[in-house]
Amino acid sequence: MKYYAVRVGHDGPKIYTSWDECSKAVKGCKGADFKSFSVKEDAEFYLELKPFVLDKYPTGHHITVDASSSIKQNFWEFQMVWSDTKEVIYRSPTYKDGTNNTGEVMGLCYAAIYRSKNKLNCFIYTDSKTAISALHKGHYNMKSELISLETRKMLEDIIVEAMMVDTNCIVHWNNGLIGIEIPADFGRK
């Protein structure tokens, strides 16, 4: 059974057990926010998570993070870019055996650790609700067979490390509401 957690829909926050019900609740709703889960507790947790959602371009000097991947070419990567200057703070090496979400989670964790180590007073913006959820839950549900054991271990380790720093600075960058891709976007769409 699937559970559809709707944070923003016509009927407010609610969990549905069919796609038809969920679809009716979100279709035509501006800023609809929903995700499916196979475990009811995960859906409930998702509803409890209330990340701040950015709805206009931010002012100030903040970190943005995004990932890119290609299943066909078997690579994934992430980068961190300043929101105002668009200067690249860090671009990861190209990794194998993962997915785009692998890069999103790794990138967000790396950004949180970077912010803490450098004692920065700024927000971290990501367009990945999956990465935000993984960091808040303390684990990333790696279902994909594309993710190698080595990549899984690397992700588990960095999530544990990122859980030790302040993550209250993470903001969801909603591309649809802002009308522009996150500055860290690789532009490969």
Side-chain angles (χ1 to χ4, degrees):
M1 174 181 272
K2 283 217 175 206
Y3 299 91
Y4 300 89
V6 176
R7 279 194 195 138
V8 178
H10 296 297
D11 301 322
K14 189 173 179 183
I15 295 175
Y16 299 90
T17 56
S18 80
W19 171 244
D20 287 341
E21 291 176 320
C22 177
S23 178
K24 289 175 190 170
V26 298
K27 189 173 183 178
C29 179
K30 185 174 179 171
D33 185 1
F34 62 98
K35 187 172 179 173
S36 70
F37 297 89
S38 55
V39 177
K40 186 175 183 182
E41 289 76 19
D42 288 347
E44 290 168 346
F45 182 81
Y46 182 77
L47 286 185
E48 291 172 16
L49 257 181
K50 300 200 186 326
F52 177 70
V53 178
L54 188 67
D55 61 0
K56 62 183 179 189
Y57 202 90
T59 58
H61 197 58
H62 305 287
I63 298 169
T64 66
V65 63
D66 202 18
S68 180
S69 68
S70 170
I71 292 172
K72 194 182 265 187
Q73 297 175 2
N74 188 23
F75 80 85
W76 61 273
E77 61 187 331
F78 67 89
Q79 67 180 356
M80 300 178 341
V81 173
W82 289 114
S83 60
D84 55 351
T85 65
K86 314 294 188 288
E87 177 186 350
V88 175
I89 304 164
Y90 176 78
R91 183 168 179 173
S92 75
T94 301
Y95 296 99
K96 292 189 175 298
D97 304 324
T99 64
N100 200 70
N101 280 336
T102 306
E104 296 282 6
V105 173
M106 179 72 82
L108 184 58
C109 291
Y110 197 93
I113 294 164
Y114 175 87
R115 179 185 177 274
S116 177
K117 283 184 178 175
N118 290 284
K119 297 179 176 45
L120 300 174
N121 184 19
C122 63
F123 289 108
I124 300 171
Y125 296 111
T126 177
D127 61 5
S128 173
K129 290 184 264 186
T130 299
I132 292 170
S133 178
L135 191 50
H136 284 287
K137 289 192 321 190
H139 72 89
Y140 169 49
N141 191 2
M142 296 176 255
K143 296 179 192 172
S144 175
E145 294 175 7
L146 299 173
I147 305 172
S148 68
L149 291 176
E150 181 180 331
T151 299
R152 289 171 193 272
K153 174 76 170 115
M154 185 171 56
L155 272 170
E156 289 167 358
D157 290 348
I158 199 159
I159 289 171
V160 167
E161 187 177 351
M163 294 292 297
M164 304 299 172
V165 302
D166 176 21
T167 57
N168 291 321
C169 57
I170 296 170
V171 179
H172 179 240
W173 178 289
N174 187 319
N175 292 322
L177 291 177
I178 298 169
I180 188 170
E181 288 286 342
I182 194 164
D185 184 72
F186 282 83
R188 295 186 182 140
K189 301 213 174 19

